[in-house]
Amino acid sequence: MKGRADSGIPDESVDMDDAVDTDEAVDTDDAEDTDAEDPVGDARRARWAAAGTGALLALAGLAAAVLRASGSAPALVPAAYAFGAAVCALAAVLGSRGRTRRALWLLVGGVMVMALGDQFD
């Protein structure tokens, strides 16, 4: 049966429920491409990583400073751990504010200060 275009009545052989609305159709390949190239998500992950790593290293440095201060180590050793922990805490603050490159270098510097201070024992 042909549709009755002149009468305005749609053809009964066409099921309107099976018709696809082009506005609702989403191409999944395009959605995956935009997720992979999401600079905002990458920046957010970098901030969280810098802040979390800085906080973790700062706590570890403070714990090492307290443990070394209670022992028979020279005074320079706990001071180096405390200073390295302070540098890592500063890196955590900078990382949380989006300065992730500077935070990375401060983390490296803080860990190096802690490692150098441990050599004086």
Side-chain angles (χ1 to χ4, degrees), residues 1-5 7-18:
M1 257 182 137
K2 283 190 165 182
R4 298 178 196 129
S7 66
I9 300 172
D11 188 7
E12 291 86 25
S13 65
V14 176
D15 190 10
M16 295 306 285
D17 294 334
D18 292 337

Side-chain angles (χ1 to χ4, degrees), residues 13-120:
S13 65
V14 176
D15 190 10
M16 295 306 285
D17 294 334
D18 292 337
V20 176
D21 189 11
T22 57
D23 294 336
E24 293 179 0
V26 176
D27 190 9
T28 58
D29 294 335
D30 292 338
E32 291 173 4
D33 290 342
T34 57
D35 289 342
E37 298 173 3
D38 184 20
V40 175
D42 291 342
R44 184 177 299 122
R45 281 188 293 276
R47 285 193 307 267
W48 276 100
T53 304
L56 182 69
L57 287 173
L59 287 175
L62 284 177
V66 168
L67 288 173
R68 293 296 189 144
S70 63
S72 63
L76 188 59
V77 175
Y81 275 113
F83 182 70
V87 171
C88 289
L90 177 64
V93 170
L94 286 177
S96 69
R97 294 183 180 188
R99 306 290 185 188
T100 55
R101 191 172 297 151
R102 290 182 182 134
L104 172 67
W105 287 109
L106 282 175
L107 287 172
V108 169
V111 170
M112 287 177 63
V113 166
M114 288 188 239
L116 182 66
D118 195 42
Q119 296 300 312
F120 291 119

